[in-house]
Amino acid sequence: MANKIIKYNLTGAGTIPTYIEDGGYYPKANSNASPQDWDLIGATVDGSSETGLGELANEAAVKSYLDTYTSEWTQPDGSGGTEAFDQDAAATHIWAKKTS
């Protein structure tokens, strides 16, 4: 069986949907009321047909999506400072959660 990498929101009760195996990555604010006010990226459970807010079909699609809202993000640089967020590394990290 295979899983999918998708965009999703928390449920109306503020819980992670049952079809998400590993998620909560790279939140993007949206116009929904809390607790569904963030779009998140995650990996579905194996065999799930759920696509949430949309499937990210390959690593390039993950990067392209991240590029739409993370251009001003920073991350620790390992020496106590910060550096630009690495969308390529983030996309690789997420895509590694994909099973075939």
Side-chain angles (χ1 to χ4, degrees):
M1 308 271 330
N3 69 350
K4 296 178 182 71
I5 304 301
I6 66 169
K7 300 175 281 184
Y8 71 96
N9 297 128
L10 297 178
T11 68
T15 59
I16 298 168
T18 57
Y19 55 83
I20 295 295
E21 177 73 25
D22 184 9
Y25 296 97
Y26 313 114
K28 177 183 178 184
N30 64 38
S31 60
N32 296 340
S34 181
Q36 296 178 310
D37 52 346
W38 296 97
D39 297 337
L40 307 165
I41 301 174
T44 65
V45 296
D46 282 347
S48 175
S49 62
E50 295 285 345
T51 57
L53 302 173
E55 182 176 1
L56 297 165
N58 53 47
E59 189 172 331
V62 176
K63 180 176 183 307
S64 179
Y65 177 65
L66 289 171
D67 284 346
T68 68
Y69 67 99
T70 62
S71 63
E72 296 190 18
W73 285 18
T74 59
Q75 62 190 27
D77 67 4
S79 63
T82 60
E83 62 188 9
F85 179 70
D86 187 342
Q87 288 91 347
D88 288 314
T92 299
H93 174 254
I94 289 294
W95 195 250
K97 299 175 180 308
K98 174 83 171 98
T99 59
S100 40

